[in-house]
Amino acid sequence: MKAAAEMYAPATSRRSFDVERVRADFPILNQTVNGKPLIYLDNAATSQKPAKVIEALRRYYREENSNIHRGVHFLSQKATGEYEGARKKLCSFINARSTGEIIYVRGATEAINLVAHSFVQEQIKPGEEIVISEMEHHSNIVPWQIVCEKTGAKLKVVPINDKGEIILEEYEKMLTPKVKFVSIVYISNSLGTVNPVKQMIEMAHEQDIPVLIDGAQAVSHARVDVQDLDCDFFVFSGHKMFGPTGIGVLYGKQEHLEKMPPYQGGGDMIKSVTFEKTIYNELPYKFEAGTPNIAGAIGLGYAVDYLNDINLDDVYIYEQDLLAYATEAVKKVDGLRIIGTARHKTAVVSFMLEDVHPHDIGTIIDSEGVAIRTGHHCTQPVMQRFGVPATARASFALYNTRDEVDALVQSINKAKKVFQ
Amino acid sequence: MSELKSLYQDIILDHNKSPHNFKKLENANRHAEGYNPLCGDKYDIYLRVENNIIQDVSFEGAGCAISKASASVMSSLLKGKTKEEAEELIEVFHKLVTGGVDPMEELDRLGKLAAFAGVSEFPARVKCASLAWHTLRAALENKDDVVSTEK
């Protein structure tokens, strides 16, 4: 068994990571909120954007805006070049075999819905099963419930333990011949748990079960290699990896994508149309009906450039250090309980404070300029599992610092004081 | 900071800590459940209504300080009120937390409710303050469905 930490095992050290230089790349961080410097700790919801990405969007609309794939004029060719160039960047970013395996979508949610509709729903029969885990985001629960409703298939849920880790023995037991699909989150948005997905994929493949990995929380924190993971599908959103909103990626193995029917019909996804017969376009265009989010895709390409320049291995080491520091610091707050204490975590600290509701914490620390998330984080089953209505969640990114952790702790103490 | 103080008034903190009428009402003849799916706040409101008059009221549940204090203060104001008077209170409270009433001009009508005037500065918290009141309306109408802040 290969542990999650070994899977990352970044070869480089912290030497080259200069957080102050990184912060200077993010214009939004340089502002005050309620008279205090902004401390942005809601990165699991969405990350901020570096100047490079913002500038790319601006330049696109000022100098290059044009529709892609059809015009013979200068601007259309330029826009097409940039749009397809971004696809190439994304292809090597996750180490896909070819750009045909990189489908642009609105985000991880749409990607999961696409697979649910065009892959699983096409094949699954009544009584057959789809396996997910107890820590899934609603976006990796509801599409499967819809498939089950339509087909009579059953949804099976792998339980998690008190630390917030998937119980692998239970998972193994669930992988019966009835199971036709597995869809698992790589990193939990509400707990920070890093799941041993490579091992889980291997286990499913031994039974010939295809696997989708929800990588929405993974791509901004660690290097992802879809060939090494050997997942059948991998989905992520641009806006959680320093790119624009409204753009994301579905990676799928070519052999699957070729067999799948289109998700939506329209322009660009066809080779030829007559009223008698329409011939669908080749991959990846078969799944990209209509004028896409061109600016978003180009901007996402620049976010990939940014992460490549910075080196995700260094980011991983830096964030692990920050997580250790933050965990120790918040633990010292009297009456604070951390929800999600898995052995392998990314920099997410979800917590409860005795006698202070998460919503009150959120409002009070906002008055100190500290932005965190409070609520169920679109993972209501996780809240039920831990017997809490909601949590307060600080989620870190590569631009956060130890000083910001200290400010978070101070503001939590202030919230406690208000309720004394 | 001053805005924050105006939100977490002493009266709100006190009612959060020691809520009034915080129990199940055994002889209730009206009941409704209120739920805010966004933050998980959940309250049951129980009423004993006889001859159009609220004879007794109580609530149970869990949520943030704003929602709990709001339910508590509400319960302390309802006893002896007619259904119409209660509905009028619901209206006044709604206007107050959405900034539609100047609390200084309406102090008489508002009484203890004036403590919630600060909520209007925090749009994200209006639903917290309103949850119990929406639920009260449903209980008065004797609706059995769960009342959601998201409908």
Side-chain angles (χ1 to χ4, degrees), chain A residues 318-327 396-397 400-402 405:
Chain A
Y318 176 78
E319 289 184 2
Q320 284 297 304
D321 177 75
L322 197 61
L323 171 65
Y325 183 79
T327 306
F396 300 86
N400 292 123
T401 65
R402 287 185 171 209
V405 171

Side-chain angles (χ1 to χ4, degrees), chain A residues 148-371:
Chain A
C148 289
E149 258 174 44
K150 284 191 177 156
T151 62
K154 280 193 193 128
L155 192 60
K156 292 283 185 174
V157 182
V158 188
I160 58 177
N161 64 23
D162 291 341
K163 287 179 169 174
E165 297 164 328
I166 284 179
I167 303 173
L168 281 178
E169 296 73 29
E170 296 295 325
Y171 173 65
E172 193 168 18
K173 273 189 232 158
M174 274 185 192
L175 295 177
T176 66
K178 277 188 181 169
V179 178
K180 297 300 162 195
F181 201 72
V182 170
S183 193
I184 296 286
V185 70
Y186 200 157
I187 295 171
S188 155
N189 72 313
S190 50
L191 301 167
T193 309
V194 180
N195 287 319
V197 289
K198 191 173 174 185
Q199 186 190 356
M200 294 176 77
I201 293 162
E202 245 176 61
M203 289 162 73
H205 282 178
E206 275 167 24
Q207 319 287 327
D208 289 325
I209 306 164
V211 182
L212 180 149
I213 298 299
D214 170 3
Q217 297 293 333
V219 279
S220 64
H221 301 291
R223 199 174 288 285
V224 167
D225 181 333
V226 290
Q227 289 191 59
D228 179 56
L229 289 176
D230 198 29
C231 48
D232 297 274
F233 299 97
F234 188 92
V235 307
F236 58 99
S237 300
H239 73 97
K240 290 191 204 286
M241 54 173 282
F242 315 109
T245 54
I247 187 79
V249 170
L250 163 66
Y251 157 82
K253 282 184 181 170
Q254 194 174 331
E255 62 198 80
H256 296 317
L257 294 175
E258 271 172 356
K259 285 183 207 142
M260 287 158 60
Y263 180 49
Q264 294 177 332
D268 226 30
M269 53 76 71
I270 44 84
K271 260 196 179 128
S272 70
V273 176
T274 64
F275 286 115
E276 288 69 41
K277 185 166 176 59
T278 289
I279 299 169
Y280 301 138
N281 207 336
E282 61 200 25
L283 293 175
Y285 312 111
K286 182 171 85 175
F287 294 102
E288 295 179 0
T291 296
N293 182 353
I294 304 166
I298 293 170
L300 181 54
Y302 280 87
V304 170
D305 288 345
Y306 184 78
L307 285 171
N308 287 339
D309 288 349
I310 257 181
N311 190 344
L312 268 169
D313 291 337
D314 291 340
V315 169
Y316 180 75
I317 293 168
Y318 176 78
E319 289 184 2
Q320 284 297 304
D321 177 75
L322 197 61
L323 171 65
Y325 183 79
T327 306
E328 282 314 304
V330 300
K331 261 192 199 162
K332 288 190 186 121
V333 177
D334 222 22
L336 186 145
R337 173 164 75 110
I338 293 179
I339 309 284
T341 50
R343 217 153 52 88
H344 301 298
K345 272 183 73 171
T346 48
V348 169
V349 181
S350 241
F351 61 92
M352 299 291 292
L353 204 51
E354 221 168 73
D355 301 329
V356 190
H357 191 278
H359 255 71
D360 297 313
I361 301 173
T363 294
I364 294 170
I365 77 174
D366 177 62
S367 72
E368 299 290 300
V370 182

Side-chain angles (χ1 to χ4, degrees), chain B residues 37-85:
Chain B
L38 295 182
C39 57
D41 290 0
K42 212 177 233 176
Y43 292 100
D44 284 282
I45 306 278
Y46 302 95
L47 300 173
R48 171 119 202 116
V49 181
E50 277 163 13
N51 304 322
N52 205 41
I53 290 174
I54 299 171
Q55 301 291 348
D56 207 352
V57 51
S58 78
F59 78 103
E60 275 185 320
C64 65
I66 305 299
S67 65
K68 189 180 267 182
S70 175
S72 174
V73 171
M74 180 185 88
S75 74
S76 70
L77 293 174
L78 287 175
K79 248 179 250 182
K81 293 259 191 311
T82 63
K83 198 180 160 215
E84 290 70 32
E85 286 168 334

Side-chain angles (χ1 to χ4, degrees), chain A residues 122-137:
Chain A
E122 284 290 311
Q123 313 176 24
I124 205 157
K125 297 183 183 70
E128 293 183 334
E129 295 171 355
I130 299 163
V131 168
I132 60 171
S133 85
E134 204 176 1
M135 70 172 86
E136 299 308 321
H137 189 280

